[in-house]
Amino acid sequence: MGSVIMHNVVSVDGFIADKNDDVGPLHEWYFNGDTPIEGDDEFDHSGSGSPFKVSKASAEYVRSTWTAIGTIVMGRTLFDLVNGWEGRPPTGDHVVVVSHRPKPEGWHPEASYHFVDDVKAAIDKAQELSGDRLVAVNAGEVGGQILAAGLVDEVAMDVVPVVFGSGKRYFGGIDGQHLLEDPHVVIQGEGVLHLRFKVRR
């Protein structure tokens, strides 16, 4: 089974979007460098027809992380916001959506998107689909629930130097303390700091 990694871009004060789900400057670093992420067509889901261009340090990190992902787990709020990336996830081959509502009727029947109503069932399905590849869990309410259930192996944060003050929290409304190990990845990009922590068992 592949590891489960909770991942998102985040502000310094721990928010992944404002209260209106606007990410503001959080994703600017994807376009402020001079190094394309190799496989431009594979990773270009910006809708602009332009590949992501990041710093060299970020390109190496993002490329290695994204190519290791087999399945993304997301909540219904994000699915609705991005319309499931029109059936083409930014990375990986499969998506599992945690939702009490089924997949919209007729929505991209060719896409490997699976709707389940329980976080444990979501991780089980994602690991089945991923095999030995990573399962990437989007941060937020669903991500926080998956962490609280003890199903996350690593936490990955792309920290952007901005303070939101309020908004949607990286860990959602998680209760209690959850210990992490010291970061085993610390990479300084341009406009972003990449951090990865193993979850302490």
Side-chain angles (χ1 to χ4, degrees):
M1 293 278 181
S3 294
V4 177
I5 183 170
M6 184 177 174
H7 174 257
N8 230 90
V9 181
V10 62
S11 68
V12 170
D13 55 342
F15 295 97
I16 57 175
D18 68 16
K19 64 182 179 180
N20 298 315
D21 292 306
D22 188 341
V23 298
L26 288 179
H27 293 172
E28 288 179 2
W29 65 273
Y30 280 120
F31 307 98
N32 70 0
D34 56 10
T35 307
I37 299 171
E38 290 184 10
D40 296 342
D41 292 339
E42 179 183 359
F43 294 137
D44 176 26
H45 295 266
S46 64
S48 66
S50 301
F52 293 125
K53 284 194 173 182
V54 297
S55 67
K56 185 172 186 293
S58 288
E60 292 172 357
Y61 172 73
V62 171
R63 186 182 308 127
S64 66
T65 300
W66 285 11
T67 55
I69 292 169
T71 303
I72 293 173
V73 177
M74 66 193 305
R76 185 59 182 253
T77 299
L78 180 57
F79 175 87
D80 289 341
L81 280 171
V82 300
N83 195 28
W85 302 293
E86 300 297 340
R88 293 182 63 229
T91 185
D93 300 316
H94 315 279
V95 174
V96 176
V97 182
V98 181
S99 175
H100 294 296
R101 291 178 286 139
K103 181 162 64 172
E105 189 173 345
W107 184 89
H108 294 284
E110 78 288 353
S112 181
Y113 279 58
H114 308 266
F115 285 62
V116 298
D117 63 2
D118 173 79
V119 294
K120 184 175 186 317
I123 295 302
D124 287 345
K125 183 64 176 177
Q127 289 187 313
E128 173 193 327
L129 293 166
S130 287
D132 293 334
R133 297 174 73 193
L134 288 178
V135 171
V137 174
N138 284 113
E141 289 298 331
V142 166
Q145 292 171 26
I146 293 171
L147 177 69
L151 302 173
V152 173
D153 300 306
E154 284 189 54
V155 171
M157 302 175 124
D158 299 321
V159 183
V160 173
V162 59
V163 174
F164 271 37
S166 64
K168 305 295 177 76
R169 294 190 172 278
Y170 183 97
F171 294 104
I174 195 170
D175 287 327
Q177 293 185 359
H178 299 269
L179 298 177
L180 308 177
E181 302 291 351
D182 288 341
H184 64 96
V185 172
V186 180
I187 297 172
Q188 175 67 60
E190 292 177 17
V192 63
L193 177 65
H194 307 287
L195 299 171
R196 282 175 69 164
F197 310 82
K198 292 188 184 297
V199 176
R200 191 178 299 180
R201 300 296 187 193

